[in-house]
Amino acid sequence: MDSEMLEKAWEEVCSQVKGYNNIDPTQINAFFSRLHPQAMSEGFLMLTADNDFIKTWIERHYVEVIKQALNDLYQIPYTVVIEVDVTAAQPNVQAPTAASAQQPAQVSHPTANAAAPQLAADATAAAAATAQITPPAAQPLSANTVVSSASAVPEVEPFGSSSNQVYPDPIRDDRSPYATSADVDEMGKPTSSLTFENFVIGDSNRMAYSMAVAVAEMPGKAHLNPLFIYGKSGLGKTHLMRAIQNYIIETLPHLTTIYVDSAELLSDYMEASAAHDKEKSSYKNFKTRYEDADVLLIDDVQYLQGKKQTLDIVFQIFNKLTSQGKQVVLSADRAPKNIDIDERYKSRFNSGGTFDIQPPEIETKLGIVKSFVEEYKLNEGIHELSIPDDIQLYIAESSSSNIRELKSAVTKVIYQMTFFNQPDLSLDDVRHLLESHFSGGPSKRLTIADIQKEVENFYKISHAELIGKKRTRNIIYARQIGIYLCRQMLDLPFNDIGKQFNRDHSTVMYSVTNVEEKMKESRELREELEALKQLIREI
């Protein structure tokens, strides 16, 4: 099969997959664009992926769907083999079309009735015939936070002081709004410390990380334009935004890249429009600055809700850039559908790739702690500094999902060990040092009242309505969600939950079962519940 026929057949398979129930076409566009057909014959299809993560994700979640699509199209069962082609996503891509240069190899394959061992052998031979394919390289763990050198001894009191001392945070803010000469050094290298190399990857952020890398390598691809990353404060959204900016500055220096926080954008717009004359140079310069960007990154767009004029301007700029194939990246602390803005903005924000960052699991937080300590040792030249494993684990387990709180706790311990000459801090010492530091973690005992309050705020109903007798649709919905979350997050008996909602055992059981059934069918409900859980965890 020649390359043109092969590409056409793959397009038909993709279209078939997107037509199935419970398949999100946006996700298919995002992932399948990272797959490239290499060989196809009767009962056999070989694909290559840009990296090992994409390969593994497709194998776990979509291989059976691809097989089903092939079966439906050609009426015979297919074997699908996926390998990694590391040349398809080189880190120093110089042009958006670089990945399209690879040519598929023609590989013959016996019919689908061949024995399984023979299929495996032929798949291996097919892989060998494709010259570009090499085994996947292991991805090293990298840090989500970076420490910069402290210029002077901080003004803090010795361990055991009774005052509520605020310790300085040695982490750079990295929020300068524009990629001007201030963002690069004399060699043209980015000055911001937030890069892909020092981002700790875990299950909670792997998807968003992978899509951010895809955009940085090849900005402007339609299926990821815009790229929308969302998650609660302190989970690493700004890190990924800055990493995209830095990667493009370094590898594609001919592109104009602008990063701006929505607060900066709003202030910039207010200053530019203060003269109320759109012919004035200040206003023209404001709009031109953004419209001339090849890559525009806007952080924390939820702060633009209620700012109609600014949103209108952003929407105009957004549409102009994306229509020209220029890349837009947005971030927020919630999904587009949960931002209180006009429906047309939500639809456009959601039209590319939308990916969330979940609160980090213990392993990821521990990885961040270790990377933080190593970075500090490197920056300060204190190679003998060592924080015992039990103290590192205590910090990871006790901190909330906010990485800034985690960094601050490590900083506090480091300063105590170094500036106050207490290198042998014990775990009990650290517990005492950080006893008032953490806002959440295991020390916080969650209650039914906590969950009820967050549900009431989220769905904008009163406590009396939540536990009362009203049966309007929105109240019943919120009540069942509250009951479900109490059961799942607190693992309390149905009777105990029922007493707090003025309901009996059977009503509570029905509510939980009903929500569980709806979750199976609704991705939006699953996202909504996850957003609520995040709010509750951060109480």
Side-chain angles (χ1 to χ4, degrees), residues 87-303:
T87 66
Q90 290 292 341
N92 289 319
V93 177
Q94 293 301 314
T97 58
S100 63
Q102 64 180 40
Q103 295 296 324
Q106 296 185 29
V107 182
S108 61
H109 194 280
T111 65
N113 297 325
Q118 183 61 42
L119 283 173
D122 288 342
T124 303
T130 306
Q132 297 100 327
I133 299 174
T134 60
Q139 283 190 346
L141 261 188
S142 45
N144 201 355
T145 52
V146 185
V147 191
S148 64
S149 301
S151 59
V153 177
E155 296 180 4
V156 291
E157 296 183 9
F159 175 57
S161 169
S162 59
S163 70
N164 293 324
Q165 178 63 48
V166 177
Y167 282 69
D169 188 350
I171 311 305
R172 291 179 51 184
D173 188 50
D174 287 301
R175 282 180 175 262
S176 59
Y178 311 119
T180 62
S181 58
D183 292 310
V184 295
D185 61 19
E186 63 276 6
M187 300 298 291
K189 301 294 184 181
T191 57
S192 171
S193 59
L194 303 179
T195 66
F196 290 124
E197 286 73 20
N198 55 37
F199 186 90
V200 170
I201 307 166
D203 290 340
S204 57
N205 58 30
R206 192 181 303 276
M207 182 74 70
Y209 168 84
S210 181
M211 296 304 104
V213 171
V215 164
E217 290 176 340
M218 300 182 69
K221 290 295 184 181
H223 63 280
L224 288 176
N225 198 10
L227 173 64
F228 195 105
I229 301 172
Y230 69 94
K232 298 302 292 182
S233 177
L235 297 186
K237 300 185 300 297
T238 297
H239 191 134
L240 285 180
M241 300 277 279
R242 284 298 201 178
I244 292 171
Q245 177 193 21
N246 289 336
Y247 188 94
I248 294 173
I249 289 173
E250 188 165 1
T251 64
L252 301 170
H254 60 283
L255 298 183
T256 301
T257 306
I258 293 179
Y259 166 92
V260 63
D261 183 89
S262 61
E264 296 272 0
L265 181 64
L266 178 61
S267 174
D268 200 13
Y269 170 70
M270 295 302 292
E271 289 178 10
S273 59
H276 301 288
D277 183 352
K278 295 188 178 183
E279 295 305 314
K280 291 289 178 106
S281 61
S282 60
Y283 184 87
K284 291 166 96 174
N285 290 342
F286 161 78
K287 200 171 180 187
T288 300
R289 178 189 299 140
Y290 296 107
E291 289 181 342
D292 284 349
D294 295 299
V295 181
L296 176 61
L297 306 103
I298 306 178
D299 212 348
D300 291 324
V301 295
Q302 76 277 359
Y303 290 124

Side-chain angles (χ1 to χ4, degrees), residues 216-488:
E217 290 176 340
M218 300 182 69
K221 290 295 184 181
H223 63 280
L224 288 176
N225 198 10
L227 173 64
F228 195 105
I229 301 172
Y230 69 94
K232 298 302 292 182
S233 177
L235 297 186
K237 300 185 300 297
T238 297
H239 191 134
L240 285 180
M241 300 277 279
R242 284 298 201 178
I244 292 171
Q245 177 193 21
N246 289 336
Y247 188 94
I248 294 173
I249 289 173
E250 188 165 1
T251 64
L252 301 170
H254 60 283
L255 298 183
T256 301
T257 306
I258 293 179
Y259 166 92
V260 63
D261 183 89
S262 61
E264 296 272 0
L265 181 64
L266 178 61
S267 174
D268 200 13
Y269 170 70
M270 295 302 292
E271 289 178 10
S273 59
H276 301 288
D277 183 352
K278 295 188 178 183
E279 295 305 314
K280 291 289 178 106
S281 61
S282 60
Y283 184 87
K284 291 166 96 174
N285 290 342
F286 161 78
K287 200 171 180 187
T288 300
R289 178 189 299 140
Y290 296 107
E291 289 181 342
D292 284 349
D294 295 299
V295 181
L296 176 61
L297 306 103
I298 306 178
D299 212 348
D300 291 324
V301 295
Q302 76 277 359
Y303 290 124
L304 296 179
Q305 59 186 9
K307 315 293 192 304
K308 185 179 184 306
Q309 289 182 321
T310 310
L311 269 171
D312 285 342
I313 295 298
V314 170
F315 195 54
Q316 292 172 27
I317 296 170
F318 176 101
N319 285 334
K320 182 169 183 178
L321 292 179
T322 54
S323 68
Q324 295 174 346
K326 296 180 177 182
Q327 181 71 49
V328 176
V329 183
L330 307 168
S331 84
D333 66 358
R334 66 205 75 171
K337 70 184 182 68
N338 292 325
I339 302 177
D340 188 15
I341 54 177
D342 189 277
E343 199 61 41
R344 60 184 176 139
Y345 300 133
K346 295 181 185 180
S347 176
R348 291 295 282 125
F349 287 173
N350 226 359
S351 61
T354 302
F355 303 94
D356 65 333
I357 299 180
Q358 296 293 332
E361 56 284 328
I362 291 296
E363 293 83 357
T364 302
K365 289 199 286 185
L366 187 58
I368 293 168
V369 171
K370 291 181 180 297
S371 295
F372 187 98
V373 174
E374 290 304 313
E375 195 72 32
Y376 186 90
K377 289 164 62 176
L378 180 64
N379 286 347
E380 296 297 322
I382 311 176
H383 302 293
E384 67 277 8
L385 175 65
S386 175
I387 297 181
D389 290 343
D390 59 343
I391 292 177
Q392 293 189 32
L393 182 60
Y394 168 75
I395 294 172
E397 290 179 336
S398 301
S399 64
S400 71
S401 62
N402 192 312
I403 304 305
R404 296 187 187 98
E405 180 183 87
L406 180 70
K407 295 186 302 183
S408 180
V410 178
T411 301
K412 208 169 184 178
V413 171
I414 289 175
Y415 283 162
Q416 200 65 44
M417 297 175 72
T418 56
F419 292 112
F420 300 121
N421 196 28
Q422 292 183 312
D424 299 321
L425 278 180
S426 68
L427 180 58
D428 286 339
D429 292 334
V430 172
R431 284 198 181 103
H432 182 56
L433 177 67
L434 301 177
E435 61 183 353
S436 301
H437 181 85
F438 299 115
S439 60
S443 59
K444 169 67 178 176
R445 183 176 293 277
L446 196 62
T447 66
I448 291 178
D450 291 329
I451 294 177
Q452 287 177 333
K453 183 178 179 181
E454 290 303 318
V455 169
E456 290 155 12
N457 291 337
F458 193 86
Y459 294 109
K460 297 179 173 60
I461 64 173
S462 68
H463 184 67
E465 289 173 326
L466 184 71
I467 67 172
K469 296 182 178 181
K470 284 188 178 181
R471 295 190 57 78
T472 57
R473 178 175 294 184
N474 66 312
I475 293 175
I476 291 176
Y477 181 81
R479 187 181 296 140
Q480 290 187 348
I481 294 295
I483 289 172
Y484 167 80
L485 290 172
C486 288
R487 175 68 175 179
Q488 188 186 62

